[in-house]
Amino acid sequence: MKVIEPVIFELGDQDRKGYSLPAWDVPRIEAEDALPKELLREPARLPQLSETEVVRHFIRLSKMNYSVDEGLYPLGSCTMKYNPKVNEDLARLPGFSMAHPWQPQQLSQGSLKLMHDLELALAEITGMDAVTLQPAAGAQGELVGMMMIRAIHRDRGKPRDKVLIPDTAHGTNPASCTLTGYQAVTIKSSPAGILQAETVAEVMDESVAALMLTNPNTLGLFESEVEDICRAVHEKGGLVYLDGANLNAILGLVSPGKMGVDLMHINLHKTFSTPHGGGGPGAGPVAVKAELAPYLPIPRLVQEDGQYQLSEDFPSSVGRVMAFYGNFSVLLKAYAYILSLGPEGLKTISQVAVLNANYLKERLRKSYHLPYPAPCMHEFILSDKLQLTFGVRTRDIAKRLMDYGFHPPTIYFPLVVAGAMMIEPTESDSFQELDRFAQAMEAIAREAQEDPDLVIGAPHSLPFSRLDEVRAARLPRLRWKPEE
Amino acid sequence: MKVIEPVIFELGDQDRKGYSLPAWDVPRIEAEDALPKELLREPARLPQLSETEVVRHFIRLSKMNYSVDEGLYPLGSCTMKYNPKVNEDLARLPGFSMAHPWQPQQLSQGSLKLMHDLELALAEITGMDAVTLQPAAGAQGELVGMMMIRAIHRDRGKPRDKVLIPDTAHGTNPASCTLTGYQAVTIKSSPAGILQAETVAEVMDESVAALMLTNPNTLGLFESEVEDICRAVHEKGGLVYLDGANLNAILGLVSPGKMGVDLMHINLHKTFSTPHGGGGPGAGPVAVKAELAPYLPIPRLVQEDGQYQLSEDFPSSVGRVMAFYGNFSVLLKAYAYILSLGPEGLKTISQVAVLNANYLKERLRKSYHLPYPAPCMHEFILSDKLQLTFGVRTRDIAKRLMDYGFHPPTIYFPLVVAGAMMIEPTESDSFQELDRFAQAMEAIAREAQEDPDLVIGAPHSLPFSRLDEVRAARLPRLRWKPEE
Amino acid sequence: MMRYIPNSSPTSQRKMLRAMGLNELEQLFENLPDSLRQKSPLDLPAPLNESALVSHFGALSEHNANVHEYASFLGGGAYYHYIPAALDHILLRSEFYTSYTPYQAEISQGTLQAMFEFQTYICELTGMEVANSSMYDGASSLAEALLMAMRVTGRKKVAVSRAVHPHYRRVIETYLDDGDKQLIELSFTDDGLTDLAQVSNHRSDLAALVLQSPNFFGCFEELSAAASLAHASGALLVVGITEPLSLGLAKPPGHLGADLAAGEGQSFGLPLSFGGPYLGIFAAKGEYLRSMPGRIAGQTCDDKGRTGYVLTLGTREQHIRREQATSNICTNQALCALAATTYLALLGKEGLRELALLNLAKAKYCRDQIEQAPGVELRFPTPTFNEFVVRVTSDLERKVGRLLEQRIWAGLPLAPFYPELDDCILVCCTEMISQEAIHLLVEGLAEK
Amino acid sequence: MMRYIPNSSPTSQRKMLRAMGLNELEQLFENLPDSLRQKSPLDLPAPLNESALVSHFGALSEHNANVHEYASFLGGGAYYHYIPAALDHILLRSEFYTSYTPYQAEISQGTLQAMFEFQTYICELTGMEVANSSMYDGASSLAEALLMAMRVTGRKKVAVSRAVHPHYRRVIETYLDDGDKQLIELSFTDDGLTDLAQVSNHRSDLAALVLQSPNFFGCFEELSAAASLAHASGALLVVGITEPLSLGLAKPPGHLGADLAAGEGQSFGLPLSFGGPYLGIFAAKGEYLRSMPGRIAGQTCDDKGRTGYVLTLGTREQHIRREQATSNICTNQALCALAATTYLALLGKEGLRELALLNLAKAKYCRDQIEQAPGVELRFPTPTFNEFVVRVTSDLERKVGRLLEQRIWAGLPLAPFYPELDDCILVCCTEMISQEAIHLLVEGLAEK
Ligand SMILES: Cc1ncc(COP(=O)(O)O)c(C=O)c1O
Ligand SMILES: Cc1ncc(COP(=O)(O)O)c(C=O)c1O
């Protein structure tokens, strides 16, 4: 009986009011007094609601969402960890939230110091030499990384045109290549789920600008041949880009800097607990070895006479990718997180993230097919192979999990496993929560056997049954329209 | 399938930790170093949870509540209006929230001025002469009021022992009398639902200290004989106390001061929008005519040489009822509300509250028995008389409303109407929301006729069916205990 | 058109009036006597827009000092403890702060379960068997405890220690002043403890003996002895509490023979907020359950046996029993109780102990410094928790004034409450006081 | 034991390891090559407790000035508008800020419906037919619009006005720099408008003509004329936006022939926050829908016909199409889009217009004052919204410095971006600027 909430354009009434504007202390004018008529518009057709109605609308909408603050959110590759509340408060201090990006730098020393210290911390954590905080997300970090690779090859006088990408890679990797004019070449990982140095050596030649590697990879496995892989790439003059999306598995345990990679991004909204916000904002700082530092985007933070400054004076820089200095308040939250955890705490994060994943894996392998039985890092993959016998697929299992009060795992990714379920519990979950999830998964495995239609028809307990994605794509309705 | 959330004492694990304490900058000691052994306890058996688990626990609990921010909350007599968000922010300004009650008064001028200005505003709104902000809620306001009445009769040399209370009065009224040693004498209201001056005159004599009147009364009707009633009471040397719980109906429309009442309380958590908080904190300021001012609780706010001060120098005062100055941050929110609305806005509140109630009443009288068909003020009463024919009672209708996504009205009060449903929509609801509620009520009226068991068995869509209150009272389990 | 009032829009009003067959709003108010009408607009400030409102309150708030800006040794019933950030995020859940008293249980399980948890926390901490879900504040809670003791014993006289918080005593006086009830005060000894010897004078007709522990001077009272005395006279021992954090270390009243424990919960996660809203705690021995004031949540189940919670034992309360109710309390401090529950959940067993220990250690450090400095001394030798009374041999007022200039609130001067202690201040050291501030305090108070 | 990590407790870990048949945590890490191991602890500051963290950030924040403390005439792509208090309360709903991209529609309807509403708002405001659910910020959104124009037209050259925000141009350069794409700059006239005459030089191979309106100088560009020119050459007209509040009054790009509109949404309820996170807006003519970057929510229904929302047209995106995707964007600025949706919901039709008018009036007032004062003048005569360029005939730097001392940020000096405008500043007047501040500004800039 839960009421479906109307689109906001169907709410409110003429001349209702949800705002309270600052007073007019200058003479009131009409638009025509300052602008020529032909510049003026008919008012946009926006609905008019009272504040009460607006608040209720969005509160009601919020109640249709699942969230990390409610429970396990096992989206593989997304690192849906707890977002500490204190960090939200810190970002709202007026000294930060009310600071204008153009205000004099000598009056912004707090923000600049914070960014500077965060750069140092990220360099230390990754074992790299220099950092830019500018990219707004992992994918933009990749873009910046690919631009830097392009720039260094150019400077070396030998532009190249291909980038190697393992078949387990995230979609942003090949897309970032295309954006920078590179051709993405997919290479196969081994049956054990990792990339072999041999495979890389075979395809590596002087047309290859770089390899993009994710480590641990999206199967949750550590790329144990990474050193040899890097060597193989470097031998042919290529660079290795590390997709750091899975950094949560190795904080304080393994130093990416030692792997041999040349540059990498970090998803602060994953590893460093800044909230995902339903799809952003995030931040995707890029850390590089010294050789690449001159190519980092401008502006860069420099320190002079104890003053922090943003400098554009880096002639080799690839340029700018954001209007200002990146998603500042996201950076701030990540920095607060690092300061709260300290070196030991960061290490504990990864230890427990791995512990949690293995604990869950060991339990769930009794009910589901586990394509890669090796010890996993922070996440692992199951498949629907066993349930397929009863006509039950990964998507069905995912939807059925909703009835048990859980968000489903990432599904049908990575592509190398048919019917993949990619499960990443993160260190934020107690073993009781993991047990609750395992019980739900086990119950569904039983249902798949005993009452497959129950699973195939899920979800049953939400205001909707399964929503028709094909219809949505075929008849796109992408905005509300009056009386359609 | 929604999971029931365990009691917090069943969560967590040994040596988990949800806190982060300030550092020790003094030498570490053991308790025995400072306190004799016999004073020391075994640690209290509190559960140990991580912050993540604590947040999830309370977020999950919150999701089992209905709230004003979700929709109409038509609890009659409770004035469940929208709680403006800006007021929450203002109360959290460190200058208020971090101010110590004992800090020097010359360093608390902001808070004191605010309280002073609020006193003035409430005096103006009620048409009374002096105000105390100290009482923590309406009932404590009544208590203070009764104490003042006791004190003035004492000072007049003729203590009295009875207080008249109409049969429509709220339970706190007679209870407040008992607390102050008065005998509560119930008097009947007329068939039209109001108190007649005649009735009062009949019972009024020199043993009666006061009459407690609610106006508009709990039937939502304006006590139109109030002037004559007050005269009748005054003639015999009694005082009239106004229960101001229903002030939301008459702001800027009717002046309680003109009614002839001598003192009254105001529920800031009703009329002045401070959040109810699941049952408090509220605030119940008492406003009085000049004659009673000397009896107001101490400390009182005084202004001297432009400085505000709290003074205890009022020898006739009834004394103190709270450790400090009342629920300060509640006062603050009410004051912010008054400043936001202004004189016109306050009047509009009452106009619209009355409009909304009548709109709903006119619609619902077609489906439900309306015992008092006169135009109502901010609330009105329906009964289950029509539905009783089908065996459906008020309680059933209330529970069925939950299935439609609404909080039920106040039920079985006031006592003068059998099976009462007391409906107060407040000015915060749009007519669309009123229509939604009316549709639900109408649907239930139909169901009562066509499928009474559906209504009798409600709720059906919540994690629980009806909870057994009799069992709770018979076998009280009032705290969690291990392995019961 | 007001942003909080959807139907203040003329369009909406027209639609509604038309549906009711009316033409104008005024028709709804025809029955209001003209003589009572508010004829002129209320004489109140013109409305402030939101931005101006925020500025106005910002300016007001800056006319206050606060404990961020001053090193505060003030306690005396209101304690500056760190409040974990997560707590306010819970309190700001609309579902908690914009809901009403959970009369309709099925749609209010969040509040109800939290109340049940709160009651359990209070029982565990106080060592009592039952607790209600909150009272207005410590003072009024203690006053209601005395009224309850009178109901339970059928007696009209209570003996209250002078070492009980002076404001609490004032509130008790106010609550008891119906001409019928009698209040006697017990003086304190030079140890800072209640002189229990006086109790014997009132053996036959005492309803309650009332101590606070730690008392207003910070000293732990001898509750066991007091319990024996009280019980021997057929009276109840009522224990008041202003600093519940002490229960992280100290034996609770329930283990020492108390019949009722009542007091303040502000230390558990409530901001100082210039004195309120705070949190009245109320706990009792199980046998007195049905005489208790206030709301109580109880566990029950639905017809399928699923556990849930309801308000229970309503026959004690005003909405059911009216003039025969145990109290008139209705709205209480539910959200403050939720804050305390969340706070205690975050701290847990170890956290509470550790925090109490840290308070004890800071106070001990300060006491030690005082003992070594010239011209200042501990007024009472008795063990204390985080508060204690310091005697300053000369010039107290001037020294306190000078410390104020150094942005230090030296503590609460006792002269207004205890003329005999007019050279004393009550000093409180919580975890928020730094060692450095302690040094400055002692230096400022000591003889040069 | 860390408060964010439940299973950091030794007890919990023991239980878990035992269940897995293991003895110690290290067994899980045996496959990590020793050569890669982090041997020594990370060289990072020791952890701060929460109270110390709050103090540390408090201190850092106080090393920043902010627009509460200064009267700020700064704009230039970041605007100080009042943010209604209700907005942040919505953003702090756990369900919104701690959830992921709504891939699983049935359990993410809140986010999805809000995205659908956001798209509608953007279409209404820009007058375009389709909009996505957000890009990173205005600059990167505009850059992606140019890449899209190239995909749509199959051409490699874009003409970008020098009156486009200089940082946006720098971002465009960066995004386009693959050796293959060509960027030409169009100069501006003495009216502060793009010199469209130059476009004709590039007739045959232009993918896009790129203007911003109001442009960086605050001037409204002649979009209709630009559209004709662009279309005549087979190019798209791409319109950049930095101050979307102008759309409360000004004819939107979609009504003036724009093919793509891309820019910044920060003005709609996002705090200045030292430059981010802000909100990339991206809208297009319907025919280009399938070439658009970014996530899009679409309405659909379930098998019972109940309306719901899903992410749709995923075949444009990297997670489906990988190297053939229209962009690599994945995480975007969803919560910022929610903020903008809430903001626009609160303002509504009238509110947006009224606020735009108030901005226009403040700016006009300031312009009028400038025109009357000696030694200062409006650099361009063209109509503007809330920003405009002021020429100061002498001593600009010193005057700006003196205003700084009066706690006034006089505006953005243009010298670093336009050497030819080195005696000019870009002055912005939003609703937060008082008349008094305007007087002080003009006085400070004028000749004495
Ligand atoms: C492995 C991997 N790489 C890259 C990305 C892209 O990161 P972002 O979403 O921050 O752009 C993701 C995020 O989903 C990812 O999981
Ligand atoms: C008519 C009436 N009087 C008095 C009260 C008591 O007020 P409070 O709950 O603030 O103590 C109420 C509240 O429910 C009421 O409705």
Side-chain angles (χ1 to χ4, degrees), chain A residues 245-420:
Chain A
N246 293 341
L247 191 59
N248 209 50
I250 56 171
L251 291 169
L253 296 172
V254 162
S255 168
K258 292 192 192 163
M259 294 182 192
V261 301
D262 301 288
L263 72 174
M264 67 181 291
H265 77 257
I266 305 151
N267 306 64
L268 298 187
H269 45 301
K270 299 183 179 186
T271 315
F272 295 99
S273 87
T274 73
H276 279 82
V286 172
V288 301
K289 288 283 172 68
E291 190 190 15
L292 283 162
Y295 301 97
L296 285 168
I298 50 164
R300 286 181 62 191
L301 257 169
V302 295
Q303 209 182 345
E304 245 169 56
D305 312 327
Q307 284 278 106
Y308 298 94
Q309 263 182 305
L310 289 160
S311 164
E312 307 211 348
D313 196 13
F314 293 89
S316 302
S317 166
V318 294
R320 198 181 250 287
V321 291
M322 294 285 279
F324 296 107
Y325 327 119
N327 284 341
F328 175 75
S329 77
V330 177
L331 306 174
L332 179 161
K333 294 175 197 178
Y335 182 56
Y337 187 68
I338 291 170
L339 287 186
S340 297
L341 274 291
E344 271 310 306
L346 291 177
K347 186 170 165 183
T348 305
I349 286 174
S350 291
Q351 289 175 323
V352 175
V354 172
L355 173 66
N356 283 1
N358 279 286
Y359 178 80
L360 207 49
K361 171 176 69 76
E362 287 307 308
R363 181 157 172 185
L364 289 181
R365 67 188 299 179
K366 293 167 198 148
S367 320
Y368 292 89
H369 175 60
L370 178 73
Y372 301 97
C376 67
M377 297 297 289
H378 64 300
E379 65 190 1
F380 61 99
I381 311 283
L382 300 176
S383 91
D384 57 5
K385 196 169 173 185
L386 302 178
Q387 286 69 36
L388 266 181
T389 340
F390 316 107
V392 170
R393 287 161 204 283
T394 284
R395 173 160 289 107
D396 305 321
I397 297 164
K399 300 296 177 192
R400 183 65 182 149
L401 266 170
M402 298 177 184
D403 285 331
Y404 282 91
F406 284 103
H407 196 283
T410 297
I411 56 176
Y412 299 112
F413 180 79
L415 307 173
V416 295
V417 175

Side-chain angles (χ1 to χ4, degrees), chain B residues 76-79 136-142 168-173 214 216-218 243-246 265-270 276 282-284 379 413 422, chain C residues 100-101 103 136 295 318 328-332:
Chain B
S77 210
C78 301
T79 314
Q140 205 183 31
E142 295 174 21
T168 52
H170 192 262
T172 49
N173 290 187
T214 308
N217 68 23
T218 62
D243 179 336
N246 293 341
H265 77 257
I266 305 151
N267 306 64
L268 297 186
H269 45 301
K270 300 184 179 186
H276 279 81
E379 65 190 1
F413 180 79
M422 189 186 194
Chain C
Y100 192 68
T101 305
Y103 283 126
Y136 299 134
R295 288 185 179 131
Q318 48 74 26
N328 70 337
I329 195 167
C330 177
T331 293
N332 44 64

Side-chain angles (χ1 to χ4, degrees), chain B residues 13 15 20 51 63 89, chain D residues 1 3 9 11-12 89 95:
Chain B
D13 198 8
D15 72 23
S20 165
E51 180 175 319
K63 300 208 127 189
D89 298 349
Chain D
M1 284 189 296
R3 68 190 188 284
S9 101
T11 319
S12 300
H89 286 253
E95 292 86 340

Side-chain angles (χ1 to χ4, degrees), chain C residues 199-213:
Chain C
V199 176
S200 43
N201 306 340
H202 308 277
R203 291 239 147 173
S204 60
D205 54 353
L206 263 196
L209 168 58
V210 188
L211 305 184
Q212 173 184 322
S213 185

Side-chain angles (χ1 to χ4, degrees), chain A residues 40-60:
Chain A
L40 299 178
R41 73 180 296 165
E42 286 295 294
R45 292 169 305 172
L46 311 188
Q48 308 205 73
L49 288 79
S50 61
E51 179 176 319
T52 317
E53 292 168 279
V54 171
V55 167
R56 284 183 176 169
H57 176 68
F58 288 105
I59 297 281
R60 287 170 182 169

Side-chain angles (χ1 to χ4, degrees), chain C residues 7 28 30 35 56 86 128 149 165 192 204 221 247 253 255 259 295 306 311 316 330 379 391 423 427:
Chain C
N7 296 338
L28 294 170
E30 279 165 0
S35 51
H56 180 62
M128 307 300 290
H165 192 299
S204 60
E221 292 276 5
L247 297 171
H255 297 178
D259 299 283
R295 288 185 179 131
R306 287 172 294 207
L311 286 180
R316 299 166 302 107
C330 177
R379 177 65 182 77
R391 187 167 162 268
D423 52 358
V427 170

